[in-house]
Amino acid sequence: MSKALRVIISGGGTGGHIFPAISIANAIKALQPDASILFIGALGRMEMQRVPAAGYEIKGLPIRGFFRPLWKPANIGVAIDYLKSKWLAKKLLREFKPDVAVGVGGYASAAALGAANSLGIPTLIQEQNSYAGLTNKNLAAKAEKICVAYEGMERFFPAEKIILTGNPVRQALLDTTISREEAIKSLGLDPSKKTILLVGGSLGARTINESMLQHLDLIKSSDVQFIWQTGKYYSAEIAERLKGQEIPNLKVTDFITDMGVAYKAADLVISRAGASSISEFCLIGKPVILVPSPNVAEDHQTKNALALSTRDAAIYVKDAEAPSTLLQLAIDTVQDAAKLKSLSENVLKLALPDSADIIAKEVIKLAK
């Protein structure tokens, strides 16, 4: 009898790393139900809650990011934590005895996959963005396989290791069977009106929120309705600024738990340009206006947005221009049926379905 597969999955820090990691784990389990999977994350980061909620065990490392510029004295402590994390990761790997290690980007995967390489355990990395992250660039030389979501990634990674798989997304989004009308009614809105959904990521986005707050009169006077996820970080401040305002065509919430229903209700989405969100829009064919965050490494969100907007698969608005132009543009776009149709058709062409399944099969192959 062959022994059960044992897999380490490491990475996190944001939903953009965690959702693909969990999707890969679920796909491995679907193919090999007796597989043992252990996650390695960074203490204090989002993965330490999200991974156990998805039913998997996770161990945390005391790892964190370097401060810019690199010569800051505080980085001495960061470097010590990295060395400690790599030592702890090696200890975890020796105890768990994985057949293969998977890295999805984020601080923890630097230590965990670095440890796997030094112990001779085969590694696979998954890069979500069109501009490769520093961790994955550093791990690429020793990785056996590199799974990517965009073409042209040979400028970052050895071409012979690359597999174009796309980004795994939350399965619940693809399984949503509710109709647009049912989705809108469940949110207490009017199915006869065009609907715009605004999401700034799990923590929210100040620019998108300001774009709404500065144009409340335009919202009130429009024949469009809005679902506005403010993000938990900004919810109290926004509730205060909306006090006493009666806006029946505006539904405000700090966090949307069922994104499948929210996407189904929306005729148009306004979003940051994180890789996971973009993969979701491609798979469900959702027209979108992308407002890339300027506060991310290597400005990778702008590169993600351009990868779509240059193919007329999304509309791109610069962060600095959003407060003045975004809302009127969105209202005009959502009432332009031909524009919505072409955006939907073009974004669907970029979809790479079955990503998690393809990556899981590569992981199993490597283990053998």
Side-chain angles (χ1 to χ4, degrees):
M1 195 175 105
S2 64
K3 81 176 185 77
L5 174 69
R6 298 180 74 78
V7 183
I8 288 280
I9 300 179
S10 184
T14 66
H17 291 313
I18 299 161
F19 296 134
I22 291 169
S23 297
I24 293 166
N26 291 343
I28 292 168
K29 279 289 209 184
L31 292 167
Q32 299 222 351
D34 61 348
S36 293
I37 299 172
L38 176 68
F39 280 75
I40 297 179
L43 289 169
R45 304 292 294 208
M46 199 192 283
E47 59 266 27
M48 299 309 292
Q49 280 80 46
R50 292 284 171 91
V51 169
Y56 294 100
E57 186 185 358
I58 186 166
K59 301 284 187 186
L61 302 176
I63 196 163
R64 52 207 169 104
F66 283 97
F67 297 99
R68 304 267 190 253
L70 289 174
W71 43 259
K72 275 192 175 178
N75 282 325
I76 296 168
V78 177
I80 291 166
D81 282 347
Y82 172 77
L83 294 171
K84 196 195 296 182
S85 295
K86 198 165 172 188
W87 179 83
L88 283 168
K90 260 190 192 173
K91 189 167 174 281
L92 283 170
L93 294 178
R94 284 197 179 105
E95 287 165 5
F96 186 74
K97 299 184 174 62
D99 302 297
V100 60
V102 178
V104 295
Y107 310 137
S109 65
L113 268 74
N117 288 331
S118 63
L119 294 172
I121 296 159
T123 60
L124 173 147
I125 57 179
Q126 196 252 332
E127 175 55 61
Q128 294 101 26
N129 291 293
S130 61
Y131 194 94
L134 190 61
T135 298
N136 280 345
K137 281 194 276 193
N138 290 340
L139 292 169
K142 292 188 174 168
E144 267 72 22
K145 293 281 179 211
I146 302 166
C147 298
V148 301
Y150 292 90
E151 286 169 356
M153 298 301 283
E154 300 79 15
R155 61 206 167 111
F156 304 111
F157 302 128
E160 68 281 1
K161 296 181 179 184
I162 294 174
I163 310 167
L164 183 66
T165 59
N167 281 325
V169 302
R170 294 173 275 190
Q171 193 57 40
L173 295 182
L174 307 178
D175 295 343
T176 303
T177 54
I178 193 170
S179 69
R180 176 187 178 274
E181 187 170 340
E182 288 166 336
I184 290 178
K185 279 183 178 168
S186 76
L187 295 164
L189 294 169
D190 180 352
S192 70
K193 289 191 171 183
K194 291 288 185 188
T195 305
I196 297 172
L197 168 68
L198 299 101
V199 282
S202 48
L203 300 174
R206 180 173 288 283
T207 300
I208 291 175
N209 291 340
E210 281 300 326
S211 302
M212 292 291 279
L213 289 165
Q214 289 179 27
H215 299 283
L216 295 176
D217 288 344
L218 182 57
I219 293 167
K220 283 180 199 169
S221 64
S222 79
D223 195 33
V224 173
Q225 57 196 1
F226 299 83
I227 305 161
W228 179 15
Q229 179 186 275
T230 62
K232 291 191 169 157
Y233 187 75
Y234 299 105
S235 60
E237 177 198 338
I238 287 168
E240 188 59 38
R241 287 172 71 176
L242 291 175
K243 239 185 202 164
Q245 299 264 9
E246 269 298 309
I247 314 177
N249 60 331
L250 176 63
K251 181 179 173 63
V252 184
T253 176
D254 62 343
F255 185 72
I256 296 168
T257 44
D258 193 338
M259 282 307 296
V261 169
Y263 282 153
K264 191 65 84 161
D267 299 290
L268 176 69
V269 180
I270 294 170
S271 172
R272 286 302 200 192
S276 282
S277 298
I278 285 180
S279 295
E280 291 172 357
F281 303 138
C282 292
L283 282 164
I284 60 177
K286 192 55 66 176
V288 63
I289 298 176
L290 296 170
V291 186
S293 169
N295 312 312
V296 292
E298 313 283 3
D299 197 23
H300 69 252
Q301 285 205 3
T302 296
K303 296 172 178 90
N304 291 348
L306 288 168
L308 269 70
S309 64
T310 53
R311 293 172 172 87
D312 192 30
I315 296 169
Y316 161 47
V317 172
K318 287 182 181 169
D319 186 84
E321 294 167 8
S324 59
T325 65
L326 178 62
L327 208 63
Q328 187 63 62
L329 173 67
I331 290 168
D332 294 344
T333 304
V334 82
Q335 291 167 324
D336 183 343
K339 182 66 177 171
L340 291 182
K341 186 168 182 279
S342 78
L343 285 170
S344 179
E345 286 170 355
N346 291 335
V347 81
L348 265 173
K349 287 175 195 164
L350 303 178
L352 292 164
D354 309 318
S355 302
D357 208 39
I358 297 163
I359 295 168
K361 285 172 181 164
E362 288 298 329
V363 172
I364 292 164
K365 253 192 262 175
L366 265 189
K368 288 173 180 168

